Amino acid sequence: MPIAMKNATTADEVLAALRAGDFSHEALRAALLMRGGEQEKLFELARECRDRCFPDKRVEVRSVIEISNICRQGCRYCNMGRKRDYEHYIIQLPAFMKLVEHIYRSGRRVLLLQSGENSAQSFVEHVALCVEEVKKRYPDMLVILCLGNLSRTQYHRLRQAGGDRYILKFETSNPELYSHIKPFDKLDRRLTCLQWITEEGFTASTGNIVGLPGQTLDDIVEDLLLIKKLKLSMMSCSPFIPAENSEFGDQPMGDLDTALNTMALLRIMNPHTLMPTTSALEKVGHDGQYRGLMAGANTVTIHDGTPEDLKQLFPIYSVSRVRPTQEHFEEIVHRAGLKM
Ligand code: 5AD
């Protein structure tokens, strides 16, 4: 049999296995390597799974406010954190409510509050008061928190304040790699936090980074299996970005196709969940966020919440980070056959 033919058969077999819900390590590994026409078929299957569960073809639109850049972690891939020298800020309540008012008036109903990891009680209490105020003024605004590892009591407080959802990515399911990329943290601790978040009643999200220095294809397969096992209703995957001024600043970028295939597999394995097309995809390759939608994503995050003068102070990924606008999303969502 000609090689091309044999490969085509193999890819079709893998796709048939995935369609049948056979998520063996081998099938997932083979699917991560698909490119060209095979990759197109993988994406088609992912879209089929998404559109079956979300027949209205609507994407969820989130507005993000980067409420503080203070971070006590020391992640090697990040340019904020305890070892970095940068100007700190915390957005205070009156300024915060002005931003929320602007976002609400633009018609947005999903607010994502992001910050560095800061478990100081005063900071967590500040965020809780902000959430309470949002819920009091705009009861139909959904609030998603992305604040990192906290104590169980702190998660409880934030949930009681009205936080609806919480994003805590485990980044990698390989415990040694985790300790290497996050020297001040442990994978076990991260997963315990995720369990607390769920038990406190948040709708929880987790996910990984693809292309971390030292990560193997088998690690990514294990990430996929862990996300499935956790049975959450949101998930995400972003390609690794070598952020300037981070310890990994001179490492190669994550591979866009591997990240997109990871997203497609996440969709096939967890069809009912929400999954963003992240700005990191746009940074790594041309039309990255459009391709993320074609690989099964159904959520977009608009950067209209953080004030201009503070954006440079939240340089996550890169100082030249792509901060997608409403117009950008309208165009790619339409092109992908979806609706905002
Ligand atoms: N490359 C890719 N993803 C990153 N994140 C942070 N820094 C990077 C980077 N350099 C992602 C992590 C984190 C989320 C807030 O942003 O997955 O959980």
Side-chain angles (χ1 to χ4, degrees):
M1 194 188 287
I3 301 239
M5 184 77 171
K6 189 159 181 285
N7 282 345
T9 319
T10 312
D12 283 342
E13 278 168 10
V14 169
L15 289 164
L18 296 175
R19 186 183 284 279
D22 164 13
F23 304 126
S24 68
H25 194 101
E26 295 67 36
L28 295 173
R29 199 176 198 288
L32 285 174
L33 292 168
M34 288 179 177
R35 297 293 182 271
E38 297 177 353
Q39 186 184 45
E40 272 316 308
K41 285 191 198 167
L42 179 70
F43 290 4
E44 256 169 51
L45 178 57
R47 294 198 296 274
E48 203 183 298
C49 292
R50 177 192 63 200
D51 298 347
R52 194 176 346 109
C53 296
F54 298 89
D56 64 358
K57 296 203 160 201
R58 260 184 210 290
V59 298
E60 179 174 282
V61 183
R62 301 172 179 166
S63 277
V64 61
I65 298 181
E66 286 147 341
I67 190 165
S68 168
N69 64 355
I70 299 174
C71 186
R72 295 176 163 187
Q73 271 296 349
C75 309
R76 293 213 155 106
Y77 53 83
C78 191
N79 42 19
M80 297 185 284
R82 61 164 91 176
K83 293 195 285 184
R84 315 263 173 268
D85 178 24
Y86 59 104
E87 191 184 330
H88 288 170
Y89 74 82
I90 297 178
I91 302 180
Q92 295 304 313
L93 188 60
F96 172 78
M97 286 312 292
K98 277 214 182 88
L99 297 172
V100 179
E101 183 187 346
H102 167 74
I103 288 168
Y104 191 86
R105 285 209 180 139
S106 326
R108 235 79 82 196
R109 294 297 178 266
V110 185
L111 176 63
L112 169 59
L113 297 188
Q114 182 154 32
S115 86
E117 189 170 300
N118 179 1
S119 57
Q121 191 48 37
S122 57
F123 177 67
V124 175
E125 190 51 32
H126 168 63
V127 178
L129 292 174
C130 287
V131 175
E132 277 173 353
E133 199 58 26
V134 172
K135 288 288 177 176
K136 199 157 83 193
R137 291 257 294 273
Y138 311 104
D140 58 338
M141 184 75 109
L142 202 137
V143 178
I144 309 177
L145 301 170
C146 183
L147 313 170
N149 294 359
L150 301 173
S151 71
R152 174 144 201 173
T153 321
Q154 291 174 324
Y155 290 130
H156 181 80
R157 171 73 184 107
L158 291 164
R159 175 75 186 133
Q160 180 220 17
D164 297 284
R165 306 185 190 161
Y166 203 105
I167 300 174
L168 190 79
K169 294 176 69 181
F170 61 71
E171 323 294 7
T172 172
S173 59
N174 176 331
E176 286 88 46
L177 182 60
Y178 190 96
S179 298
H180 175 63
I181 62 166
K182 291 169 78 81
F184 300 96
D185 197 11
K186 289 258 182 298
L187 178 62
D188 272 357
R189 162 91 183 146
R190 193 75 164 176
L191 294 176
T192 301
C193 285
L194 194 56
Q195 194 180 338
W196 289 339
I197 287 165
T198 313
E199 286 170 3
E200 288 301 331
F202 284 104
T203 300
S205 179
T206 196
N208 70 343
I209 301 179
V210 163
L212 286 164
Q215 185 185 46
T216 66
L217 208 58
D218 293 310
D219 288 334
I220 302 172
V221 171
E222 292 305 323
D223 294 350
L224 286 165
L225 293 169
L226 177 57
I227 293 171
K228 174 149 181 69
K229 190 172 125 200
L230 290 167
K231 285 200 177 78
L232 304 178
S233 39
M234 306 189 290
M235 55 186 187
S236 81
C237 163
S238 53
F240 165 70
I241 308 277
E244 299 114 6
N245 306 322
S246 74
E247 283 181 55
F248 287 162
D250 56 359
Q251 298 289 321
M253 276 204 194
D255 179 63
L256 178 59
D257 288 303
T258 312
L260 291 168
N261 290 9
T262 306
M263 290 173 65
L265 288 166
L266 281 175
R267 171 58 67 202
I268 295 164
M269 297 167 81
N270 315 274
H272 287 93
T273 57
L274 292 175
M275 176 169 69
T277 183
T278 65
S279 62
L281 293 168
E282 198 76 17
K283 178 96 190 158
V284 168
H286 172 68
D287 229 7
Q289 283 188 296
Y290 165 74
R291 295 187 69 201
L293 292 173
M294 296 307 278
N298 61 351
T299 306
V300 300
T301 302
I302 299 185
H303 285 257
D304 56 356
T306 308
E308 284 306 321
D309 55 331
L310 294 182
K311 280 184 179 168
Q312 297 83 286
L313 298 178
F314 201 95
I316 189 173
Y317 301 162
S318 159
V319 279
S320 59
R321 177 178 179 194
V322 180
R323 286 199 170 76
T325 59
Q326 161 108 6
E327 295 69 37
H328 165 74
F329 283 126
E330 276 167 4
E331 194 274 314
I332 62 167
V333 165
H334 178 74
R335 192 146 46 95
L338 300 166
K339 285 179 266 181
M340 299 263 274

